[in-house]
Amino acid sequence: MPDFAKCMPDFAKYMLEFYKYLEMGLQNFEEYQACTITVGVVRDICRALEEKILPYCDGIMTQLLKNFSINQLHRSVKSPNISCFGDISLAIGEQFEKYLAYAMPILKSAAEVSTHAFLN
């Protein structure tokens, strides 16, 4: 196991302060590369902290879901956002149920786009 992976569970003590930077990155849809990188960081943190990410999930999920309503959001950010739903779900388990009503329409829409692209 790499050294950085060993220290990631201890990262929870920094999340309160670090969260504001995550939030800024997720809101930065004009700079889509920064937004995409931030989504990747959220995914890594979810895998490392597991259920310790729960206090931050409302804000993270709100911003991920809000990003899908922004027409200017670069399409390359949408796939990582969807993958992030899965990482959050794996991290918090059954606690993800409260987000299902909001995430499922996005997942359904993404599946329909993928099917149309495949069939055409």
Side-chain angles (χ1 to χ4, degrees), residues 42-54:
V42 169
R43 295 180 68 199
D44 290 341
I45 290 172
C46 285
R47 287 190 295 266
L49 298 184
E50 296 174 339
E51 70 280 344
K52 292 177 186 173
I53 193 71
L54 190 57

Side-chain angles (χ1 to χ4, degrees), residues 14-25:
Y14 303 108
M15 273 301 294
L16 186 61
E17 185 65 26
F18 188 68
Y19 175 74
K20 62 185 168 188
Y21 297 104
L22 285 179
E23 193 170 51
M24 283 190 288

Side-chain angles (χ1 to χ4, degrees), residues 44-120:
D44 290 341
I45 290 172
C46 285
R47 287 190 295 266
L49 298 184
E50 296 174 339
E51 70 280 344
K52 292 177 186 173
I53 193 71
L54 190 57
Y56 308 97
C57 286
D58 282 352
I60 292 169
M61 284 297 295
T62 297
Q63 193 55 52
L64 291 173
L65 293 164
K66 186 187 285 186
N67 282 351
F68 283 99
S69 68
I70 299 171
N71 291 334
Q72 299 89 350
L73 182 68
H74 195 274
R75 58 185 278 194
S76 68
V77 181
K78 293 181 180 183
S79 290
N81 273 6
I82 290 171
S83 295
C84 197
F85 292 166
D87 288 307
I88 292 169
S89 175
L90 289 171
I92 64 173
E94 65 187 37
Q95 299 295 321
F96 190 80
E97 185 176 345
K98 74 183 212 178
Y99 306 116
L100 278 177
Y102 307 103
M104 287 307 291
I106 292 169
L107 296 172
K108 182 179 185 265
S109 177
E112 289 169 357
V113 168
S114 295
T115 302
H116 291 300
F118 180 73
L119 295 175
N120 293 329

Side-chain angles (χ1 to χ4, degrees), residues 1-14 44 47-49 52:
M1 176 183 284
D3 290 334
F4 68 90
K6 291 178 187 175
C7 70
M8 280 303 289
D10 293 333
F11 190 76
K13 62 186 172 189
Y14 303 108
D44 290 341
R47 287 190 295 266
L49 298 184
K52 292 177 186 173

